[in-house]
C-alpha cells in the first residue's frame, strides 16, 4: 500500500505526505511547504505514530501562540533565534514550538507558529543550511490544513487495516 497527498497550497502553506505500509507497520514521509519553499525533508521516513504526536500537538495548542509585546518589534530572524534560545535554556517548552525538537522528520529544523490578528506567522530555521523562512498565513489556514492532514491519515490507515484484514481472510 502506498498513499500520497498534498494538502493546502504550496505558495501559502501545505503539507506533502506519503504513507507506506511494510508488513504490519505504517510509515510516513512528509514535509511542509511555505512560500513555495520546502520545510523539512520528505525523504526521511518515520513511524506514523511519532508523526501523529506532532500533528496533535499543533492542533492542541490552537489559540495559545501569541507573541509577547517585548519581542513583537524584533525581526523574524531575531524572534526565531529568541525562541530557539528559550527552548534550550528553559525547562518548559514554548507553546509556539511545533515539534521541532522531537519529530524525526524535522530533525535540525526549528518550527514556531505565532497567532496574530488576521494571520498566523510561521517562523522556521533550518540548522543544517542556516536558512530562515518566515511565512504569514491567513488566520487558521494552517490549522485547517493540519486537521485535514490528520483526517487523511485516519481515513488512509482505516483503509489499510481493512484491506490487510480482507487479505488475511
Amino acid at each position: 500500500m502506498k498513499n500520497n497527498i498534498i494538502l493546502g497550497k504550496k505558495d501559502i502553506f501545505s503539507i506533502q505526505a506519503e504513507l507506506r505500509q511494510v508488513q504490519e507497520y505504517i510509515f510516513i514521509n512528509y514535509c511542509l511547504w511555505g512560500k513555495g519553499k520546502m520545510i523539512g525533508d520528505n525523504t526521511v521516513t518515520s513511524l506514523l505514530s511519532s508523526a501523529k504526536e506532532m500533528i496533535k500537538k499543533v492542533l492542541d495548542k490552537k489559540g495559545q501562540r501569541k507573541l509577547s509585546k517585548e519581542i513583537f518589534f524584533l525581526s523574524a530572524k531575531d524572534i526565531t533565534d529568541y525562541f530557539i534560545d528559550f527552548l534550550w535554556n528553559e525547562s518548559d517548552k514554548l507553546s509556539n514550538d511545533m515539534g521541532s525538537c522531537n519529530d524525526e522528520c524535522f530533525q535540525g529544523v526549528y518550527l514556531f507558529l505565532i497567532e496574530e490578528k488576521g494571520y498566523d506567522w510561521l517562523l522556521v530555521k533550518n540548522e543544517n543550511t542556516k536558512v530562515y523562512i518566515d511565512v504569514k498565513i491567513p488566520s487558521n489556514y494552517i490549522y485547517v490544513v493540519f486537521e485535514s492532514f490528520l483526517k487523511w491519515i485516519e481515513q488512509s490507515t482505516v483503509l489499510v487495516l481493512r484491506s490487510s484484514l480482507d487479505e488475511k481472510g
Side-chain angles (χ1 to χ4, degrees), residues 5-46:
I5 196 165
I6 295 176
L7 299 161
K9 297 178 182 178
K10 284 186 177 181
D11 60 333
I12 299 172
F13 175 81
S14 68
I15 299 172
Q16 179 180 349
E18 177 182 79
L19 289 174
R20 286 190 333 268
Q21 182 179 14
V22 178
Q23 297 172 358
E24 68 270 13
Y25 300 103
I26 300 176
F27 297 94
I28 188 167
N29 291 50
Y30 70 107
C31 67
L32 308 178
W33 288 85
K35 282 189 177 176
K37 296 178 183 173
M38 184 185 287
I39 302 166
D41 183 351
N42 66 352
T43 65
V44 176
T45 301
S46 323

Side-chain angles (χ1 to χ4, degrees), residues 101-153:
C101 295
N102 59 11
D103 189 87
E104 297 168 52
C105 194
F106 292 98
Q107 189 173 37
V109 179
Y110 296 98
L111 303 161
F112 303 98
L113 183 62
I114 301 167
E115 299 164 342
E116 289 297 321
K117 291 181 183 172
Y119 65 92
D120 294 331
W121 195 13
L122 181 63
L123 300 173
V124 179
K125 180 181 181 187
N126 184 323
E127 273 296 310
N128 302 318
T129 63
K130 304 299 183 206
V131 170
Y132 290 83
I133 301 171
D134 73 285
V135 182
K136 291 188 177 169
I137 303 163
S139 192
N140 289 318
Y141 185 84
I142 196 167
Y143 293 112
V144 170
V145 173
F146 270 94
E147 286 166 357
S148 298
F149 188 33
L150 194 55
K151 285 178 188 172
W152 172 77
I153 288 171

Side-chain angles (χ1 to χ4, degrees), residues 78-90:
D78 290 340
I79 292 171
T80 304
D81 287 338
Y82 173 84
F83 284 156
I84 292 169
D85 289 343
F86 190 83
L87 272 176
W88 293 114
N89 295 324
E90 299 292 327

